[in-house]
Amino acid sequence: MSNEPRIMDIIRARHSVRSYRDEPIDGGTMAALLMVVDECVRQSGLDIQIVPDNPEVFRLVARVGFVRGATTHIAFVTDGRTQDEAVGYWGQRLVLAAQALGLNTCWVAFIARKKSHARVPAGKTLRIGIAVGHGQTQGSPRSTKSIAELSAVECDETPEWFALAMEAAQLAPTAMNNQHFRITLRADGQTVSAQATKNGAWDAIDLGIVKRNFEEAANEAGADWRWE
């Protein structure tokens, strides 16, 4: 039996899904996902809401694809872009939890915000959403940049845990599949720096997503490491 951390199985199996079946999320699964949402809200302070029975939020043909058939979304209500990295980091926690529960997901930047049933106080905005449900398929892998393009190692050898965590980072979803990030292992072999290489509208969210994938894999590998 493989000793590989289970999180890598989840990360490798998870792909963005844009077409969903007309099948509701059962009560037990929804309750389990809500528990993770509550945990993320407590730890992050973010306004995160699961919004069911709201298919019209996806009825927007965006310039980059669209979602079909989904009725449930996770909404992130923020002051704007100031919380973007945290949104990505905690949102990816929910994406991985949903995958583990047998659900499919897709980060959705281009949604019909005015049609969302999320509670959005004055002065706030629905920054981004995540479609959640039962996919028509499990999605498919996409092309990625090489780990060599996405990382740098300043110590003499690349530790196994860093290579594994970089695979997780490489598989993280990013807007337009741009992968505008770089992760560096410092000379001490423990300190890790993660930075966005551009400052586009979604790059900070993407960085948070990438950091979550990296962190989950590194921690389950039992690595002795820390963020810079």
Side-chain angles (χ1 to χ4, degrees):
M1 180 179 294
S2 172
N3 292 320
E4 184 175 70
R6 180 171 174 264
I7 194 64
M8 286 305 301
D9 293 334
I10 295 170
I11 288 170
R12 288 170 180 151
R14 189 268 165 191
H15 309 293
S16 295
V17 172
R18 290 189 170 85
S19 294
Y20 291 80
R21 304 196 306 270
D22 182 15
E23 179 183 341
I25 299 172
D26 69 81
T29 301
M30 181 63 81
L33 188 58
L34 280 166
M35 287 181 63
V36 185
V37 170
D38 289 344
E39 170 199 322
C40 292
V41 169
R42 288 195 305 271
Q43 294 187 31
S44 70
L46 293 171
D47 184 350
I48 309 171
Q49 304 170 35
I50 292 188
V51 186
D53 304 320
N54 192 184
E56 56 269 32
V57 76
F58 300 113
R59 291 176 187 155
L60 170 70
V61 179
R63 60 189 178 88
V64 187
F66 51 93
V67 169
R68 299 184 183 93
T71 62
T72 298
H73 66 287
I74 300 172
F76 293 84
V77 178
T78 72
D79 295 320
R81 294 177 59 177
T82 58
Q83 297 172 301
D84 273 3
E85 187 175 323
V87 166
Y89 180 82
W90 291 101
Q92 188 65 5
R93 167 77 174 93
L94 294 170
V95 163
L96 297 177
Q99 183 73 30
L101 289 168
L103 299 172
N104 301 105
T105 55
C106 184
W107 283 90
V108 188
F110 298 101
I111 56 176
R113 286 168 172 78
K114 292 182 179 179
K115 296 179 182 179
S116 173
H117 298 168
R119 302 176 303 279
V120 184
K124 304 281 187 175
T125 185
L126 199 173
R127 176 64 176 136
I128 198 167
I130 300 172
V132 186
H134 299 283
Q136 294 280 2
T137 70
Q138 294 300 305
S140 57
R142 69 200 188 290
S143 60
T144 66
K145 296 178 182 177
S146 69
I147 288 177
E149 292 175 279
L150 297 172
S151 67
V153 175
E154 296 177 348
C155 51
D156 293 337
E157 296 184 6
T158 301
E160 289 186 11
W161 69 264
F162 184 78
L164 187 70
M166 275 308 307
E167 180 190 350
Q170 181 189 40
L171 294 174
T174 59
M176 301 280 291
N177 199 26
N178 282 322
Q179 297 188 291
H180 292 158
F181 68 89
R182 188 167 180 81
I183 296 178
T184 302
L185 178 63
R186 300 302 186 192
D188 63 4
Q190 295 178 307
T191 305
V192 179
S193 168
Q195 298 170 332
T197 55
K198 293 192 177 180
N199 188 32
W202 311 108
D203 287 328
I205 290 177
D206 290 347
L207 181 63
I209 294 170
V210 166
K211 289 177 75 171
R212 169 63 74 175
N213 266 27
F214 182 98
E215 184 172 306
E216 292 279 359
N219 286 346
E220 280 207 2
D224 180 11
W225 75 286
R226 58 183 173 271
W227 289 118
E228 188 172 68

